[in-house]
Amino acid sequence: MEKSAKIYVAGHRGMVGSAVVRALRAAGFGNIVVRTHGELDLLDSRAVREFYESERPDVAVIAAARVGGIGANSEANSLFLYENAIIAMNTVYQAAEAGVKRLLFLGSTCIYPRLAPQPIPEEALLSSPLEKTNEGYALAKISGLKLCEYLRRERGLCYHSLMPTNLYGTGDNYDIEHGHVLPTLIRKFETARTQNAPTVTLWGSGTPLREFLHVDDLAAACLFVLGLENPPNLVNCGSGRELSIRQLAETIRELCGCKSLIVWDRTRPDGTPRKLCDTSLIRSLGWAPKIDLVGGLRRTIDEYRAALARGSLRGVDPCQVQ
Ligand code: GFB
């Protein structure tokens, strides 16, 4: 990718999009195009088409989505399917119609079947049923990546997808009911520490296994795949290391300096039992993560404390469109 390339980042205010913009700027890309939700409604196909036709970016990175944790997804599968499918269709298809030559579509490893082989290879896509708690989100992301694949095959456009594992880091959403587990746990343990609470209630059994990747590692992976002349249609991106939710909780409790006891609320869902992605493809191409979980957690807890002190913590809205 030329340093002078005009790059549109959809979703630049979200955790992923803002990390991609930071990484692009740090790498010397100066021609970055963004639009806020108020300036461009990605649910409006005509507006998206007009935007692409007037801006004519060389490259588009699609990091815009309605995102949320297991609580947000399971209570609103219809909304997660509807909005994410339309955002994907508009941002990808209208880009092709307007002649955008290169596009990177971002999704999530929840596109893979609930009981996929572990670690999950890219080939596991559509091989058996999806996890129900986030089926709507997964179906929308599968549609988006398939659209990229079809457009590449039919029109010769370099449209490709990258599926990150569970992400965390700068600019995350700290909403207690609707956020992802990692930021929610930071907020719960930090709140318990400052209030000297005897217990902290977490969801499910604590036994599910999850893999976590710092969003800055993901942003580096995005730049990496955008630099490949012939990228794979679909590639996983993860740290390659998993731990149980219980281990994650104990680690965060310790790093926060919290003494409260953990209580597991088994009426809340566990979600998929295990979700470790096979990262051998992206590693074989030359990318590897740089931020280890404990280092990333320390930094994220510091950022949480600073944002709380400034009054700029995200997580007031139930689940935000990034
Ligand atoms: O990150 P998370 O919300 O979603 O939850 P998924 C992961 C695990 O943490 C589940 C447990 O087993 C939860 O039961 N957990 C424990 C908690 N305590 C809490 C808590 O206080 N809050 C939350 N949120 N979880 C998401 C999908 O799945 O993965 C999204 O819903 C997306 O669509 C994302 O794909 C990457 O990891 O289960």
Side-chain angles (χ1 to χ4, degrees):
M1 212 170 34
E2 301 280 320
K3 290 284 189 266
S4 60
K6 188 174 195 178
I7 307 169
Y8 167 51
V9 179
H12 72 288
R13 283 183 157 174
M15 177 173 74
V16 172
S18 57
V20 170
V21 169
R22 278 197 307 278
L24 284 168
R25 292 215 169 105
F29 294 93
N31 197 357
I32 301 169
V33 180
V34 294
R35 288 289 185 280
T36 63
H37 192 178
E39 289 163 347
L40 176 62
D41 180 3
L42 298 177
L43 297 175
D44 179 345
S45 60
R46 190 184 298 250
V48 174
R49 174 70 173 272
E50 284 169 7
F51 160 75
Y52 278 129
E53 281 181 345
S54 67
E55 282 293 343
R56 302 217 158 269
D58 301 303
V59 179
V61 180
I62 310 304
R66 176 172 288 276
V67 297
I70 196 166
N73 270 270
S74 50
E75 74 187 35
N77 263 295
S78 59
L79 185 67
F80 277 76
L81 171 57
Y82 171 74
E83 288 198 355
N84 288 312
I86 294 188
I87 290 171
M89 295 301 107
N90 286 345
T91 53
V92 176
Y93 196 78
Q94 298 305 338
E97 289 289 280
V100 177
K101 297 272 183 302
R102 182 145 193 171
L103 182 144
L104 174 63
F105 181 72
L106 297 172
S108 154
T109 50
C110 73
I111 59 161
Y112 293 115
R114 172 180 164 81
L115 299 177
Q118 305 283 330
I120 313 171
E122 287 82 0
E123 297 73 40
L125 184 70
L126 295 174
S127 58
S128 60
L130 296 165
E131 156 63 28
K132 289 288 175 208
T133 51
N134 52 37
E135 191 181 71
Y137 183 77
L139 287 168
K141 290 295 181 184
I142 293 169
S143 303
L145 77 89
K146 281 289 171 191
L147 184 58
C148 292
E149 191 184 310
Y150 302 153
L151 288 165
R152 188 172 185 176
R153 192 168 65 220
E154 293 165 12
R155 302 195 195 182
L157 296 166
C158 190
Y159 285 20
H160 52 115
S161 304
L162 186 145
M163 296 299 131
T165 192
N166 288 30
L167 299 169
Y168 72 99
T170 311
D172 212 339
N173 178 352
Y174 287 89
D175 186 278
I176 291 285
E177 276 297 309
H178 298 98
H180 288 100
V181 60
L182 192 151
T184 306
L185 263 51
I186 291 178
R187 185 163 174 186
K188 285 184 175 177
F189 286 119
E190 279 290 282
T191 307
R193 178 180 61 80
T194 51
Q195 296 177 355
N196 276 320
T199 58
V200 167
T201 302
L202 304 182
W203 297 356
S205 62
T207 58
L209 297 167
R210 291 291 184 275
E211 177 191 19
F212 296 93
L213 183 73
H214 193 280
V215 72
D216 286 350
D217 271 337
L218 182 259
C222 291
L223 264 67
F224 174 76
V225 293
L226 282 168
L228 298 174
E229 214 166 289
N230 187 21
N233 279 332
L234 169 63
V235 66
N236 291 337
C237 183
S239 61
R241 304 192 63 171
E242 64 183 344
L243 74 172
S244 70
I245 295 299
R246 183 183 298 273
Q247 287 171 313
L248 175 75
E250 285 167 357
T251 306
I252 295 178
R253 179 175 61 177
E254 192 185 324
L255 292 173
C256 288
C258 174
K259 305 277 180 250
S260 313
L261 287 177
I262 298 171
V263 175
W264 296 97
D265 176 359
R266 286 162 203 269
T267 66
R268 306 302 294 251
D270 265 343
T272 196
R274 199 177 169 198
K275 191 166 47 168
L276 175 67
C277 66
D278 183 341
T279 53
S280 44
L281 176 56
I282 195 163
R283 283 174 181 267
S284 74
L285 295 168
W287 174 88
K290 294 205 169 89
I291 305 170
D292 72 285
L293 183 62
V294 170
L297 282 173
R298 284 189 206 283
R299 186 174 136 194
T300 307
I301 292 166
D302 287 346
E303 288 173 350
Y304 169 88
R305 289 174 180 164
L308 189 66
R310 280 195 313 269
S312 62
L313 205 61
R314 281 183 74 210
V316 205
D317 298 337
C319 39
Q320 291 139 324
V321 175
Q322 295 207 329

